[in-house]
C-alpha cells in the first residue's frame, strides 16, 4: 500500500482573515475565509483513484482541520492528524511544530509520499518529499497539476 501524507494550510488551502474577491469562497467560519488551491479537487480525485492511503497531517488545531477537510468531499477513507501529533518547539519568533511519520499511529507503508510546503519542519524517516511552494491565494497556481504529472511519470494510474 502506498501512503500520501498531505499538509493542509498553504499547501492545499488558504484560510485568510479577509475575503478575497478574486477567489471562490468555499466557506467562512469565524474570522477564517476558506479557499481551495487551484486544481485541489482534481488532485484529491487522482490520489483516490490511484488507491493511495490518504493522510491529512497539520500543525493546526483539530476543529479547524476537521472543518477544512469536511469540504474536500472525500469518497474514500482517510486519516486526519493534527497538532497533537507534532512536537512543539518555542522560538524567539513563535512556536514551531515539527512533524514525523513516526509520531503517527499508523502502519508503516513501503512507499510514503509527503506533500508539505514546509519540509524543513519534518523529521525525515525515509519518506519521499515532494516539493511544493506555499499557496497564498495566487490565481495562476499550477503546483498540484505539476505534482500529478510527476506522479504519473513515476507511477501510472492504477485501475
Amino acid at each position: 500500500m502506498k501512503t500520501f501524507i498531505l499538509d493542509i494550510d498553504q499547501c492545499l488551502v488558504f484560510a485568510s482573515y479577509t475575503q478575497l474577491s478574486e477567489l471562490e469562497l468555499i466557506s467562512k467560519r469565524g474570522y477564517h475565509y476558506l479557499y481551495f488551491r487551484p486544481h485541489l479537487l482534481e488532485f484529491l480525485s487522482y490520489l483516490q483513484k490511484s488507491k493511495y492511503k490518504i493522510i491529512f497531517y497539520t500543525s493546526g488545531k483539530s476543529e479547524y482541520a476537521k472543518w477544512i477537510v469536511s469540504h474536500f468531499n472525500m469518497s474514500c477513507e482517510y486519516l486526519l492528524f493534527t497538532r497533537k501529533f507534532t512536537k512543539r518547539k518555542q522560538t524567539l519568533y513563535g512556536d514551531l511544530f515539527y512533524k514525523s511519520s513516526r509520531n503517527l499511529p499508523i502502519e508503516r507503508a513501503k512507499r510514503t509520499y509527503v506533500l508539505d510546503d514546509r519540509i524543513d519542519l519534518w523529521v525525515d524517516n525515509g519518506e519521499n518529499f515532494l516539493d511544493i511552494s506555499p499557496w497564498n491565494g495566487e490565481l495562476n497556481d499550477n503546483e498540484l497539476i505539476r505534482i500529478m504529472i510527476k506522479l504519473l511519470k513515476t507511477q501510472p494510474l492504477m485501475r
Side-chain angles (χ1 to χ4, degrees):
M1 171 65 99
K2 298 176 299 183
T3 300
F4 218 108
I5 301 175
L6 300 160
D7 177 50
I8 295 175
D9 280 318
Q10 276 73 40
C11 192
L12 303 179
V13 304
F14 181 57
S16 175
Y17 295 114
T18 58
Q19 189 165 1
L20 306 172
S21 60
E22 63 276 6
L23 293 174
E24 178 186 350
L25 178 64
I26 302 302
S27 183
K28 181 181 184 303
R29 180 174 180 246
Y31 51 85
H32 284 114
Y33 294 86
L34 178 63
Y35 303 97
F36 284 173
R37 187 175 205 145
H39 312 290
L40 173 62
L41 297 180
E42 295 165 68
F43 179 71
L44 292 174
S45 176
Y46 167 79
L47 293 181
Q48 292 175 83
K49 287 177 185 171
S50 298
K51 303 197 184 324
Y52 282 99
K53 178 179 184 177
I54 298 173
I55 298 172
F56 297 101
Y57 189 17
T58 180
S59 58
K61 293 181 180 177
S62 181
E63 289 305 312
Y64 170 76
K66 288 177 186 175
W67 167 65
I68 291 173
V69 173
S70 73
H71 294 287
F72 292 165
N73 299 320
M74 300 293 290
S75 62
C76 71
E77 288 186 34
Y78 61 86
L79 298 172
L80 173 62
F81 296 103
T82 59
R83 185 175 291 179
K84 174 182 172 184
F85 294 94
T86 63
K87 295 213 184 264
R88 181 178 169 197
K89 180 179 178 183
Q90 292 181 333
T91 71
L92 294 173
Y93 306 103
D95 291 342
L96 293 176
F97 296 90
Y98 287 89
K99 298 176 185 174
S100 170
S101 64
R102 294 210 190 275
N103 293 344
L104 304 178
I106 60 170
E107 186 178 322
R108 302 282 300 170
K110 290 181 182 176
R111 188 133 182 108
T112 300
Y113 289 99
V114 173
L115 185 65
D116 196 325
D117 62 300
R118 292 293 311 266
I119 298 301
D120 59 312
L121 297 179
W122 273 84
V123 176
D124 187 349
N125 291 307
E127 299 88 351
N128 296 288
F129 293 101
L130 298 172
D131 187 35
I132 190 166
S133 60
W135 183 65
N136 296 300
E138 298 84 5
L139 293 174
N140 59 350
D141 181 88
N142 287 310
E143 287 288 293
L144 293 177
I145 294 291
R146 182 184 62 78
I147 297 293
M148 280 191 287
I149 291 169
K150 184 175 185 172
L151 291 171
L152 279 168
K153 285 181 179 177
T154 59
Q155 295 179 293
L157 184 65
M158 293 187 301
R159 295 193 189 268

